[in-house]
Every structure is written in C-alpha cells, then in structure tokens.
Amino acid sequence: MRILIFVLLSFLTSTFALAGVKIEHWTAPSGAKVYFIETRVLPILDVQIDFAGGGAFVPAAKAGLAGLTRNLLEAGAADLDEEKISGRLVDLGARLGGGADSDRASVSLRTLSTQAEREAALDLMRTVLSAPTFPQAVLEREKGRSIAAIREAETRPDAIAGKRFAAAIYPDHPYGVSPTVDSVSAITRDDLVAFHRQHYGARGAVVSIIGDVSRAEAEAIAQRLTEALPPGGGDLVPPPVKKPQRQTIKIPHPAAQSHVHVGLPAIRRSDPDYFPLLVGNYTLGGGGFVSRLMREVREKRGYAYSVYSYFSPRKLEGPFEIGLQTKRDQVDAALKVVDEVLTAYMAKGPTSQELAAAKKNMVDGQALRMDSNAKLLGYLSAIGFYGLPLTYLDDFPARVKAVTIEQVKAAFARHVKPENLVTVVVAAD
Amino acid sequence: MKPLLAPLVLLAFAVAPAPTLANPFETRLANGLRVIVKEDPRAPTAVHMVWYRAGSMDEKDGTSGVAHALEHLMFKGTRNLKSGEFNKRVAEAGGRDNAFTSRDYTAYFQIVPKGALPEMMKLEADRMANLTLDAKEFAAEIKVVMEERRLRTDDNPQALVYETLNSTMFQAHPYRRPIIGWMDDLEHMTWQDARAWYRAWYAPNNAYVVVAGDVDHREVFRLAQKYYGPHKAKPLPERKPQNEPQQAGIRRVSVKAPAKLPYIAMSWKTPRLRDVQKDRDPYALEVLAAVLDGHDASRFAKNLVRGSKIAQSAGAGYDGTLRGEASFTLDGQPAEGKTVAELEAALRAEIKRIQDEGVSAEELARVKTQSIAAQIYKRDSLMAQAMEIGSLEAAGVSWRDIDVLLEKLKSVSSDEVQAVAKKYFSDDTLSIAVLDPQPLENAKQKKPSGAVRH
C-alpha cells in the first residue's frame, strides 16, 4: 500500500455538501433530536443513535466503563441472552455497530428495508438500547478480555505512544485517561446499570436515519427507539481542559522504529477557527502526498512511511497531533524536520498556491465524501451531536473558499502554541 | 483484537448485486488491454483502477519486494510529468488515490468527481509506459519501503508469525516470500531491478482497467482507446508453475517477539477455485469458514470466545480465488490463563465436530442470508464494487460469474461441508506457527538495519 489511510481524520477532513441532499430535522415526542435523509435508491436503512456517554464522563478509577456499557448492551436485553441477540441479527442479515469514544456512545443499525426484516431489526435495536440486562457472568468475561487486551497493548509501541500522548496533553482530564488493569477490575455491574440510566436517556439523544423509508416512517422509528429509554441524558459537558506545559517524554522500548507524537489540546467542534484550521492543516500534513510534512519527511528524506497531522475537534478541546514512525537512530533528525516545517508554517502560513490547491481539493472533492448512505449517516450524527447548523453541508464550499492566509496563521497561532506542545517518543535511544 | 488472518475471507467469493441488463460492460483494445465498466449513477463520482497481473508471486529470489517497491515508484516522474505531480493532479481534481500490491497483482486507483475521469485515465495511461526511474528517486523511496516493513512487519509480532507461517508452509511455491520483501533483499535492491520489473510486466496485455461510477461505458471505452490504445503489447516473461510439492508431515515453527499474549496460526493446504461451474470443494470450504467465523453467531465466537472462554480471539479464513496455492487458516489468541496448546486443541475440536456431525440447516441458512445481505449492502460503495470485479479478474475469474459464485455458495449442502472437513484437515498438510511472547525488558533492541547505502 502506498500510504496508510487514517480513519482518525474523518472528522475534520471529511466533510460534504450536496445541493439536493435534504436533511429533515425534528424533535421526537420522547425528546430525542432526529436528523433524516430519505433516499430510495437502495433497499437499505441505516439508523444511528448517539448519547453523551463517552469516556469523558467516567472517573479515572473506573476508566473503561463507557466502552463496557456500550459493548454489553448486546450481551443480554429483556428476555434475550447474547446468543439469541447475535443469532437474530444474523438471521435478519442486519448489523449492529457503534462504540464509545471520548464524547459519544453510539449504536448503529444497518438493515434491509423490506418491512419484515426492518421491523424485526428495529425491535431488537430498541430492546438492547432500552432494556439491557448486563449479565454478571458476561461482564466478568468481558472484563477479563479487556484486561488481556490492555496488557497486550502495553507491549505495543504504537499503543504505548498513543496512551502516553493522551495522558500528557490532557493532565488531570478524562480525555487523557485510558483504561488500566486496575480501573477495569474495579468496574461493577451496578456501575454499568447506573451509567446506562444516566447517559442513555432520550433527552440529548441524537437519532440519525438515512435510507428507504418515508418521513412518517422515520418519525415512528425515532419515537419507537427512544420512548422506552431511561430518564437520564440532557446537556452533559465534560470538565474543562487545562493546557499542558511544553515537554518531551521518552519511553524505552526494543522496537526497530521510534513512534513519535507531537501535539496539544487544540479546538472544540464549535470553534469559529474550525475552517481556517481545517483548510490550513491540509497543506501542513492533512493532504496526504501533497502536504509539506509528507514532502519533507518522506519524499525528500525517506525518514518515514507514514507522517501526518490532524485536528480532531471534540465537545471540548480535541487534539492536534503530528505523528510519524521512523528507524530509531534517525528519530532526532526526523523531529528536527518536523519542527522546522511546523515553525515555518506557523510563521508564514500556506503560500497562495498551496491555499488555492487545498480549497480546490476540498470543494471539488465534496462529492466523494458523501457518495454513500454510510458516509452520510456519519455526517448526520455529527451535525446532530455537535449541534452544527442544518445548512452546514450547503455552506461548506463557501466557508472553505472564504479562508485567507492570515486567518490560517492567526488560527494556528491561537491554537498551536509552542509553549504547550508535547512530544512523546516511544523506543527512543 | 481481531485475528490477523480474518480479512482474507472477506474478499474471497465476494458477491455483487444482481446486474441490471448488460451492466457491467467489457471491451478489449487491440493491444490486449481489457476495460470493464460498471455504470452506477447514484452519485456524481467515479472510481478508476488499473490492475496489473504481476505481484510478489512473479518475483525471483534475491529481489523479493520489487513488485511493491515499483508500486511506490509509480508515483514518481514520467517523461511527461515531474515527480510528485501525479498526486498533485489527483488532489487538485478533488480526488484521492492510492495503490496496493498483493501476491497476485498490483493495482492503482483514483476516486474522483466524475468530470475528472478523463484526466485520471490520461495520467494512468501515461505511467503505464513512460515512467522515468533513476537512482536518486529510488534511493529515497527504498528507505520509505524499509520503514514500511519495520512498521507493518518487524515491529508487529502477529505479522512476523504470518510471514514465518508462509515461508514454512510453502517451500517451492512463491507465496513463501513476503509481499513487502525480505529486509536484506530491500537493502540490496537497485533502481535497475525496479526498471527491469517495470519493463517486464507493465504492458497493456498484462493489465485491465476497471471503472465504476456515474459514467457512460461507451465514453469510457472511447477514452480508453484514446489514452491506453497507443501503447504496444509486448511479450511477457514466461510464468513457470512452481507448484508446491505434496507436503508429508506436520510443520511447526515459533517466533519470539515482545508481546504478552501468545498467538497461533494453523494452515492446511486446500484447493483453489479453478472451474467456477464444475468445482464444489472451494465453495464448501468457503461455507465452512463462514460457519466457523463468518459472523457474531458463528461457532468460534459462540463456542471459543463466549462459551468455553478459551480464546481471547479466534478466526477462520479461506480464500479460493487466487492465482497460486490456496490454504485454509485458523488463528487466535488464547484467553489469559489458557495456553496455546489448549487453544490449538479447541480449534481442532471444532473441525472434528464438523467432521463427525456436519453443520445444521440453520447454520447453512445463515451463511446464505449473510451472503444475500452483503450483496445488497455492497451497492452502497462504489469502491467495493470495483474491488470485487478487479480482485476476481486477478484470479482469472470473470466478473460475469459473480452471480454464479453466489448461487454456488448457496447450493452447498451440509454433507459437502462435512466432506471437505474430512478431506482437507489432515496433519500431513498442516503448518503451525506460534508466537512465543517475550517480556519487553528481556527483548533485545533490534539491530538497526538498512541504513547504509553507498
């Protein structure tokens, strides 16, 4: 493969706007916010429901609770055990997906839109959302598997680097906390029950629906999925983020390559600097082969296979990160190049040619980012969860085109301050 | 952690939507280039792919990895284009592009707004014949490839196990070599090796184009003639069969690497799909893999991960659509407190149960349901549709047989699954590779390699 494709980038680099895609929005009687696109071309239906139920709402001593709660929804619900739930999904040809990240817990469903399959699949989704039983025996087994995975990850340079980087840029904040053997061991069934009750409520839930159903059917689906949810929810916000001090952390590891992360907590999804940073990062390290980091680190010097930068905005200040992996004896040289590229970019911003190229890629490439129901579902849920305007898609080209070199420079100066930059190197000499 | 080998099964016997009349469309240019077009007007986008029937299996000892290295170099300059310009043009068109190398083929693609398709075809046709390779470009890029090898293989214990398994189970067949190449071969590769590879295999008569999207196939055919048509066909190197001799006895190897959980991969030699109509065993093996590990309710998830809790993860994979030797692989990590030997016994017991009892009607029905649903869901992705056509063609299976493959899969009986379980799972054709985890503090720091070039 010529380059790695980073799913991480999806938030900031994947945007779409399509004249003609009509997003409908309403609030269900349950209180859930609903976002809907009707498209009848394929006989499929995608539904996703998002809650403010990510890791940011969990105390460090119980880190792992958000993920376990989400995953164990399918471990038993009402009178169904986990074998019945998985068997029924397979028999329907339906797929349940989702997970928990820092901000969100998500449950998604893809099903055929034929009535029998669709109704049965939605019933199952409603049941796992509203009546999970969190069986003790399954919890113990899944805690064991989580702990084994944590211990395994503690041997992997990429995983070590990711965890240490998050911890260093988010001191004393849940965004920086990763599950540990102790924190997972401490989680009880009561914790799951309470977390579900508090975070999986209809108030604050976002229901995204796309596919082969009518508006009236979508209204009924949204209500049916949310009317029996627990009473919690509402406007939950994680505690405020503190900026870290500039520092370099080196961690020993026997790997052939050093894994490098450089970054800091940068912006909220609601920040007005979103577009200048989105457009600006394309030239710095978000635009694949045409980015400066790729050219200087990889193409000119052969230091790395993968080198990139991204902003990953969250409810609160999400990370900005530059990452690469390089043969351990040349890591200092690679870091020096990164520093020079970033410093020069902070000082002068993109050239007018670079800025024009970035805009052209983003505006002309919109069609690519919204050419499937699956991609559109992701954007519906982001618009709903982060409270973006309904016109976000239509406005996108104009917002991108309006960005100036001065705005890029000013936005980077505001959000990428050298005094807060943290460098983590795993497998350093 | 998802077992490493699981993705193999996803591409095998991929199924497609019931075709609308005559769609896809195919033509063949006078120079031997085949062009396959799948019209799908759902969004104003297009996928353009070129597949070369040259992968790591066509390499020679001493230059392993050259197919993949050339893939990287294809993004450098041509007689008409400066180095780096290819990616720039794609980006400015609002598109994205990449490439991938397998054991059987090397493929390049661009996903673009449909208006940019002609330019993509022009660019891709240009580098089919006009690549300018030189020592300087090569010297920088081969370092990148070595970094890729460190990232994907050298520092990845399960990948090391897989590499070792392949080089153990195949002794004559070229699948024994890793796609990315041995590090020592990369260190000694020259730009002339890459040039020789390019000259030997990059020809219209060794390639096919796949286009999917909101396009008119007649217009695509016309553009193909315009841009690819002028290239001359050339004689291709002889491909020797290099068939693997009959294995006679179990082979066991282990790999030490810094890790916590052990890992086991077990591979049996099996037939590949040769005759779409007449073969039966490859379809039955595909169903067997799906019964064991096709979905969340399959036997491995139900019995090994959830039931006996012996496995942290467990997978089964069979890919019968390939050019070389096929195999059926089971792999997994034992749960904490369980040993590799216990997991091996449990994996074998699952095969034994099917040898003794076959599979249930419910299990067969589930495989069918999953195949039909996957066929419909695939229509939500242009890339998936183009990939399906391209990867089948790479194995010598026509896109025209996509529906036949699905029907054959659906026709497999319990007796047939039981029969292949009895027939192919003898220890005599089995190879087993195991990860022997080493504590980090004991692991010796790896000697830097591949640094010095003159």
Side-chain angles (χ1 to χ4, degrees):
Chain A
M1 182 88 69
R2 169 78 165 145
I3 54 170
L4 286 177
I5 294 168
F6 282 85
V7 187
L8 279 172
L9 306 186
S10 62
F11 221 105
L12 205 64
T13 59
S14 299
T15 35
F16 72 102
L18 177 70
V21 163
K22 187 173 154 223
I23 299 178
E24 299 185 52
H25 169 52
W26 65 92
T27 301
S30 65
K33 292 184 287 176
V34 190
Y35 297 81
F36 170 57
I37 296 173
E38 178 176 342
T39 167
R40 302 284 194 153
V41 181
L42 299 180
I44 62 177
L45 172 69
D46 288 276
V47 181
Q48 180 168 323
I49 179 159
D50 293 275
F51 303 96
F57 302 102
V58 174
K62 301 271 185 181
L65 175 59
L68 269 175
T69 304
R70 163 61 194 87
N71 293 340
L72 261 67
L73 293 179
E74 293 160 52
D79 57 345
L80 304 172
D81 66 13
E82 59 181 341
E83 300 307 335
K84 286 222 175 64
I85 292 171
S86 61
R88 194 171 288 186
L89 279 168
V90 169
D91 289 337
L92 293 168
R95 297 171 183 175
L96 271 186
D101 63 16
S102 288
D103 289 338
R104 284 195 267 188
S106 309
V107 178
S108 61
L109 171 74
R110 167 162 278 194
T111 176
L112 303 173
S113 60
T114 40
Q115 192 169 357
E117 281 78 12
R118 182 184 88 199
E119 294 303 304
L122 287 165
D123 267 347
L124 197 58
M125 186 179 187
R126 172 187 155 116
T127 305
V128 303
L129 284 167
S130 308
T133 51
F134 301 120
Q136 186 70 43
V138 178
L139 175 62
E140 291 310 318
R141 184 191 73 218
E142 291 305 311
K143 279 168 65 177
R145 293 182 71 213
S146 295
I147 288 167
I150 289 165
R151 291 204 173 115
E152 177 66 30
E154 282 168 359
T155 69
R156 305 287 309 257
D158 51 345
I160 295 168
K163 282 185 189 182
R164 287 300 294 268
F165 178 70
I169 67 169
Y170 293 110
D172 307 318
H173 191 273
Y175 280 178
V177 175
S178 303
T180 64
V181 172
D182 286 345
S183 74
V184 172
S185 301
I187 294 169
T188 66
R189 183 177 177 279
D190 287 348
D191 294 327
L192 271 69
V193 171
F195 194 81
H196 176 258
R197 194 185 306 124
Q198 189 183 350
H199 292 277
Y200 285 70
R203 263 182 330 114
V206 173
V207 181
S208 307
I209 303 173
I210 180 166
D212 182 23
V213 290
S214 67
R215 161 77 187 239
E217 286 167 330
E219 287 185 17
I221 289 168
Q223 176 62 11
R224 186 163 140 211
L225 288 176
T226 53
E227 66 191 352
L229 289 173
D235 293 329
L236 298 165
V237 180
V241 168
K242 287 183 292 192
K243 299 276 178 178
Q245 292 296 312
R246 184 183 181 94
Q247 58 186 308
T248 297
I249 298 167
K250 294 188 172 185
I251 299 157
H253 191 282
Q257 279 183 322
S258 304
H259 288 244
V260 175
H261 294 296
V262 180
L264 42 62
I267 61 160
R268 303 176 179 212
R269 187 58 188 77
S270 57
D271 197 293
D273 282 333
Y274 177 84
F275 279 97
L277 293 174
L278 171 71
V279 175
N281 185 60
Y282 178 92
T283 301
L284 175 63
F289 279 104
V290 296
S291 78
R292 287 193 187 182
L293 282 169
M294 190 68 106
R295 195 173 64 227
E296 296 300 323
V297 175
R298 172 170 157 157
E299 301 292 291
K300 280 194 187 162
R301 295 174 178 86
Y303 281 166
Y305 170 64
S306 163
V307 55
Y308 55 86
S309 67
Y310 67 83
F311 289 89
S312 179
R314 298 179 185 170
K315 264 291 196 251
L316 300 183
E317 289 77 1
F320 164 73
E321 187 203 312
I322 296 172
L324 64 89
Q325 310 85 28
T326 191
K327 189 158 52 99
R328 55 191 300 150
D329 61 8
Q330 66 195 13
V331 66
D332 290 338
L335 272 169
K336 185 162 173 283
V337 175
V338 166
D339 184 55
E340 284 165 6
V341 169
L342 180 61
T343 303
Y345 197 69
M346 297 279 296
K348 293 196 171 167
T351 66
S352 56
Q353 290 89 343
E354 284 172 328
L355 184 66
K359 290 178 180 179
K360 193 153 183 334
N361 175 269
M362 287 180 195
V363 173
D364 290 357
Q366 278 176 316
L368 266 59
R369 301 186 184 97
M370 47 158 302
D371 63 358
S372 74
N373 293 10
K375 292 178 192 174
L376 286 167
L377 182 73
Y379 298 126
L380 277 186
S381 71
I383 287 170
F385 189 78
Y386 289 102
L388 308 178
L390 277 185
T391 54
Y392 177 74
L393 318 176
D394 295 328
D395 300 344
F396 181 82
R399 298 292 300 270
V400 168
K401 285 179 187 164
V403 171
T404 66
I405 293 173
E406 285 313 311
Q407 285 173 352
V408 172
K409 276 171 60 182
F412 268 80
R414 272 193 289 276
H415 300 284
V416 186
K417 293 201 167 98
E419 65 262 32
N420 302 124
L421 269 182
V422 172
T423 301
V424 171
V425 183
V426 171
D429 281 320
Chain B
M1 191 178 299
K2 192 72 186 150
L4 175 73
L5 299 172
L8 279 176
V9 79
L10 296 178
L11 287 178
F13 296 105
V15 287
T20 55
L21 203 61
N23 189 12
F25 304 86
E26 179 176 334
T27 191
R28 187 186 206 99
L29 306 186
N31 60 16
L33 182 81
R34 293 163 61 222
V35 184
I36 303 162
V37 180
K38 176 74 189 281
E39 296 183 358
D40 181 342
R42 206 157 66 96
T45 56
V47 175
H48 173 237
M49 310 186 86
V50 176
W51 297 65
Y52 294 93
R53 294 196 76 198
S56 66
M57 74 175 287
D58 302 298
E59 296 166 349
K60 301 276 189 272
D61 279 353
T63 49
S64 68
V66 70
H68 171 253
L70 196 272
E71 178 221 297
H72 277 235
L73 294 163
M74 284 282 279
F75 293 82
K76 303 298 182 184
T78 74
R79 283 203 282 272
N80 305 306
L81 213 62
K82 280 194 317 199
S83 184
E85 192 69 16
F86 191 100
N87 293 123
K88 213 166 150 186
R89 297 269 185 98
V90 176
E92 290 193 355
R96 53 189 189 82
D97 64 326
N98 214 328
F100 45 93
T101 306
S102 88
R103 300 183 297 189
D104 294 353
Y105 57 78
T106 310
Y108 302 81
F109 68 89
Q110 302 87 37
I111 310 174
V112 291
K114 66 177 183 177
L117 180 65
E119 190 189 4
M120 297 303 112
M121 294 179 75
K122 184 180 176 185
L123 285 168
E124 195 63 82
D126 176 45
R127 68 179 175 179
M128 179 179 278
N130 298 320
L131 195 64
T132 51
L133 289 161
D134 67 50
K136 191 163 160 281
E137 296 272 28
F138 177 84
E141 197 62 28
I142 199 70
K143 287 189 200 165
V144 173
V145 174
M146 290 186 221
E147 293 293 349
E148 184 176 355
R149 184 184 156 90
R150 290 183 190 104
L151 180 69
R152 291 185 187 279
T153 306
D154 295 340
D155 284 345
N156 183 337
Q158 290 193 8
L160 284 174
V161 170
Y162 184 56
E163 184 174 274
T164 307
L165 177 69
N166 274 322
S167 61
T168 302
M169 67 184 297
F170 297 117
Q171 301 187 334
H173 192 273
Y175 279 2
R176 73 184 190 282
R177 287 186 300 257
I179 296 166
I180 197 151
W182 301 112
M183 187 61 100
D184 193 63
D185 286 352
L186 298 178
E187 286 169 12
H188 294 95
M189 198 175 286
T190 65
W191 75 274
Q192 290 95 337
D193 292 327
R195 184 182 59 182
W197 180 263
Y198 179 66
R199 286 181 177 171
W201 296 111
Y202 280 62
N205 48 314
N206 193 40
Y208 50 95
V209 170
V210 179
V211 173
D214 185 13
V215 298
D216 179 330
H217 68 280
R218 287 159 300 195
E219 175 65 5
V220 177
F221 289 170
R222 194 187 65 73
L223 290 166
Q225 179 57 44
K226 179 178 175 186
Y227 294 122
Y228 291 99
H231 295 332
K232 296 244 178 334
K234 55 190 184 192
L236 299 171
E238 185 187 6
R239 299 182 203 256
K240 304 272 193 187
Q242 303 183 79
N243 292 318
E244 183 71 14
Q246 179 74 37
Q247 182 177 338
I250 192 166
R251 295 173 189 164
R252 284 183 184 271
V253 287
S254 70
V255 177
K256 287 184 177 175
K260 183 73 183 159
L261 289 175
Y263 170 71
I264 181 171
M266 317 170 66
S267 257
W268 286 266
K269 306 254 171 62
T270 50
R272 67 177 168 91
L273 185 67
R274 289 168 189 274
D275 187 318
V276 169
Q277 290 292 349
K278 291 191 189 133
D279 283 348
R280 290 302 299 174
D281 286 0
Y283 302 111
L285 287 163
E286 183 66 15
V287 171
L288 175 60
V291 166
L292 294 174
D293 182 36
H295 47 73
D296 268 356
S298 64
R299 290 194 181 195
F300 279 6
K302 186 177 173 186
N303 301 340
L304 303 183
V305 177
R306 296 196 292 262
S308 67
K309 306 186 195 52
I310 203 162
Q312 171 80 2
S313 64
Y318 167 73
D319 182 357
T321 43
L322 30 67
R323 283 172 53 202
E325 302 266 357
S327 51
F328 195 106
T329 302
L330 306 182
D331 72 335
Q333 297 168 302
E336 272 197 328
K338 305 288 182 185
T339 65
V340 159
E342 287 171 305
L343 179 57
E344 181 187 329
L347 292 167
R348 285 172 177 272
E350 290 294 331
I351 298 289
K352 176 77 166 49
R353 237 177 86 202
I354 293 179
Q355 289 171 341
D356 293 343
E357 301 165 17
V359 298
S360 71
E362 183 190 46
E363 287 175 309
L364 285 182
R366 284 179 172 172
V367 173
K368 288 174 198 173
T369 306
Q370 290 293 299
S371 309
I372 294 164
Q375 174 193 32
I376 293 165
Y377 297 151
K378 184 165 288 164
R379 292 167 62 194
D380 196 36
S381 165
L382 267 191
M383 188 65 185
Q385 296 179 63
M387 279 297 296
E388 173 183 49
I389 292 168
S391 53
L392 284 175
E393 292 283 343
V397 177
S398 168
W399 57 265
R400 292 183 176 83
D401 288 328
I402 284 171
D403 289 343
V404 180
L405 294 175
L406 180 64
E407 288 311 311
K408 293 283 182 184
L409 195 71
K410 284 156 70 179
S411 75
V412 170
S413 71
S414 175
D415 287 349
E416 285 178 306
V417 178
Q418 188 173 8
V420 294
K422 285 180 177 168
K423 189 170 172 187
Y424 296 110
F425 291 81
S426 141
D427 272 11
D428 287 353
T429 65
L430 172 60
S431 300
I432 299 179
V434 167
L435 171 63
D436 179 3
Q438 302 297 302
L440 275 194
E441 48 276 18
N442 292 3
K444 269 215 322 248
Q445 185 184 307
K446 284 175 189 161
K447 181 173 66 112
S449 57
V452 188
R453 297 193 65 81
H454 301 284

